[in-house]
Amino acid sequence: MVRATSKGFRLHVGFFGRRNVGKSSLLNAITRQNVSIVSEVPGTTTDPVEKPMELHPIGPVLFVDTAGMDDVGALGAQRIEKTRQAIARTDIGVLVTEAGAWTDYEERLLAELRSHAVPVVVAMNKADLGRPSPAQLERLDKEQIPYTEMSAATGDGVDAFRDKLWELAPAETAESPVVIRDLVGAGETAVLVMPIDREAPRGRIKQLQAQVIRDLLDGEASCVVVKDGGLDRVLGNMRKPPKIVVTDAQVFDRVAHITPPSIPLTAFSILLSRLKGDLVVQTRAALAVDSLRPGDKVLIAESCTHHPIEEDIGRVKIPRWLRQHVGGDLEFTHVKGRDFPPDLSPYKLVIHCGACMWNRQEMISRIRECGRQGVPITNYGLVIAHALGILERALEPFPEALAAYHEARNEPQEHALETAPAFVNG
């Protein structure tokens, strides 16, 4: 089933270019479906159009068709912003242009894709109507930018274009992402603590929890799933201690009190920092909590757009814990989905959810942007653990992050933030 793989674990392939160069037609030709509306009227595509599918031999991909970035007017500016947001989550960028047409616009778009460290393939569409100039091809060859001459109308070049995507796809694309199985090992057991509260989806478990269970099975490991109220009983009944206990960060304090120090302990959201973000960078940023003073501004960002509940972790629990830690009031701003302030200078700290529904590129783009503006960004689990005084223990399964924690603890806090990496490997 096409939707068996969540969007967060699909290779995101974005189609970008001027209006009416054939982005939508090209997507329809590649998928062999009428995914996007096609018209000769410029600006037909408004919001990005997404199409998940299995693309042999790459595997699960998410194609994203975007509006032309040469759109005009107030509405056009909003469409361009949506397209820029799509660039931030793109794993492979397809720069679509008409064969023989290469202008300053394409140069700017190429530069923007590269600024996000997005590998690019140039799709020279409408090759049945014209050919690119030798100088253009020479320039692309010189800079080692892959390209394909093709025609969405006739289907020529589509197979060659698929091959280019395969060449650009990261090596790990064809492999199952490692969430936890490397921390447990074949034949061993992990205990997963999953509170069933109002935030838990009715009749099912959270997506990340399901992914952790599947990853353990892929690693020939087993797991015991329990609510926080039953953890003491489960640990007492086990003949052999588990390799690790993983908990929802909301009950971190209680679980840490029950779990013996000899058993490694961490949180689902910290696993996400390693999987979707940069655990070392976000660990160092968590220590910025110690430099907060009453009245400081903190940005809390959540990738999901669910309706907040009475005891919402981002809007209620984390602010409460931080106020207690700081000993005074703080000013919190909350954003959801892909909304994110372009100017982060008013904020002393950004606290992000684990981004379980996003791909890694989108989370890395946010970490890079925070680094460029000199604002530390951490995640829910890390900041909760630090506020509760158990961050060091939560990082014990991750030696590199633990070493970064110790290093940052030995530095003056201002210096630690100044020397935090401004970018991470994508």
Side-chain angles (χ1 to χ4, degrees):
M1 183 177 178
V2 166
R3 294 188 182 274
T5 303
S6 72
K7 290 197 295 185
F9 286 104
R10 291 179 176 272
L11 184 76
H12 285 45
V13 181
F15 289 75
F16 306 95
R18 288 179 284 111
R19 292 175 295 166
N20 233 34
V21 294
K23 299 186 297 296
S24 300
S25 299
L26 185 57
L27 177 56
N28 291 346
I30 293 166
T31 61
R32 298 187 177 96
Q33 300 177 41
N34 291 322
V35 176
S36 294
I37 298 174
V38 176
S39 168
E40 293 186 0
V41 178
T44 301
T45 302
T46 54
D47 286 345
V49 176
E50 298 180 347
K51 173 61 181 176
M53 69 175 292
E54 299 290 323
L55 184 67
H56 182 76
I58 294 175
V61 301
L62 183 75
F63 288 117
V64 183
D65 183 21
T66 66
M69 288 187 68
D70 60 337
D71 215 332
V72 295
L75 184 58
Q78 295 180 39
R79 292 172 177 170
I80 290 172
E81 180 56 31
K82 290 286 187 181
T83 298
R84 286 205 163 96
Q85 291 176 359
I87 289 177
R89 58 189 167 108
T90 295
D91 294 305
I92 298 177
V94 181
L95 202 170
V96 184
T97 184
E98 296 177 354
W102 188 274
T103 66
D104 288 342
Y105 169 79
E106 279 76 21
E107 290 291 345
R108 291 193 299 271
L109 182 52
L110 177 62
E112 183 153 1
L113 287 163
R114 284 175 158 178
S115 73
H116 287 271
V118 176
V120 178
V121 56
V122 176
M124 300 176 181
N125 194 23
K126 305 183 182 180
D128 52 320
L129 302 178
R131 293 292 311 283
S133 68
Q136 179 186 348
L137 297 181
E138 182 179 355
R139 180 272 173 101
L140 295 175
D141 286 332
K142 183 178 181 180
E143 296 195 22
Q144 297 183 326
I145 301 172
Y147 60 87
T148 304
E149 297 180 55
M150 57 195 306
S151 170
T154 65
D156 292 341
V158 170
D159 289 340
F161 174 75
R162 288 169 178 253
D163 292 340
K164 295 294 184 184
L165 291 182
W166 170 242
E167 292 172 8
L168 286 177
E172 62 269 19
T173 298
E175 304 172 358
S176 298
V178 176
V179 184
I180 188 178
R181 62 182 184 265
D182 61 321
L183 305 177
V184 180
E188 300 290 350
T189 301
V191 172
L192 310 179
V193 183
M194 303 179 185
I196 304 299
D197 55 17
R198 292 182 60 189
E199 281 197 0
R202 186 178 298 274
R204 55 191 174 90
I205 61 178
K206 297 177 181 178
Q207 176 172 288
L208 173 61
Q209 297 165 348
Q211 290 166 348
V212 167
I213 293 173
R214 174 56 192 267
D215 191 55
L216 288 167
L217 295 176
D218 288 343
E220 303 298 329
S222 58
C223 65
V224 176
V225 180
V226 63
K227 294 193 290 186
D228 51 307
L231 177 61
D232 200 6
R233 170 180 49 81
V234 164
L235 293 177
N237 289 339
M238 297 182 73
R239 295 182 179 178
K240 180 181 179 182
K243 277 290 186 179
I244 193 170
V245 171
V246 183
T247 182
D248 190 304
Q250 298 183 69
V251 292
F252 228 151
D253 198 21
R254 180 179 184 182
V255 171
H257 179 73
I258 295 172
T259 305
S262 59
I263 300 176
L265 169 68
T266 194
F268 288 103
S269 51
I270 293 178
L271 291 176
L272 270 178
S273 176
R274 183 177 75 144
L275 179 69
K276 297 292 183 77
D278 187 305
L279 182 54
V280 169
V281 171
Q282 292 177 290
T283 291
R284 294 177 66 90
L287 300 185
V289 168
D290 295 335
S291 67
L292 292 177
R293 299 291 180 266
D296 282 346
K297 295 183 178 181
V298 177
L299 177 66
I300 298 182
E302 189 167 16
S303 61
C304 296
T305 55
H306 67 268
H307 183 73
I309 63 170
E310 184 177 348
E311 282 292 298
D312 187 78
I313 184 171
R315 294 178 178 268
V316 178
K317 293 182 179 180
I318 289 178
R320 181 170 64 225
W321 284 321
L322 288 183
R323 289 186 180 109
Q324 292 172 352
H325 187 82
V326 171
D329 199 15
L330 296 166
E331 184 176 337
F332 292 94
T333 300
H334 296 84
V335 293
K336 302 181 73 172
R338 296 195 166 93
D339 293 337
F340 203 65
D343 180 14
L344 299 173
S345 61
Y347 303 104
K348 296 294 185 180
L349 178 65
V350 176
I351 305 173
H352 210 290
C353 74
C356 63
M357 300 300 293
W358 286 1
N359 67 335
R360 184 168 188 260
Q361 176 66 18
E362 188 160 13
M363 190 64 235
I364 290 297
S365 291
R366 285 208 169 167
I367 294 174
R368 284 197 185 101
E369 184 56 35
C370 288
R372 277 193 284 265
Q373 298 195 37
V375 180
I377 176 172
T378 187
N379 97 338
Y380 281 14
L382 292 166
V383 82
I384 290 172
H386 186 53
L388 296 174
I390 56 175
L391 180 56
E392 183 174 16
R393 184 178 182 188
L395 293 173
E396 286 177 357
F398 315 101
E400 188 178 359
L402 184 60
Y405 168 81
H406 287 148
E407 179 185 350
R409 290 288 289 180
N410 292 327
E411 297 174 353
Q413 188 57 33
E414 292 77 8
H415 177 67
L417 296 181
E418 288 172 1
T419 58
F423 62 90
V424 292
N425 294 328

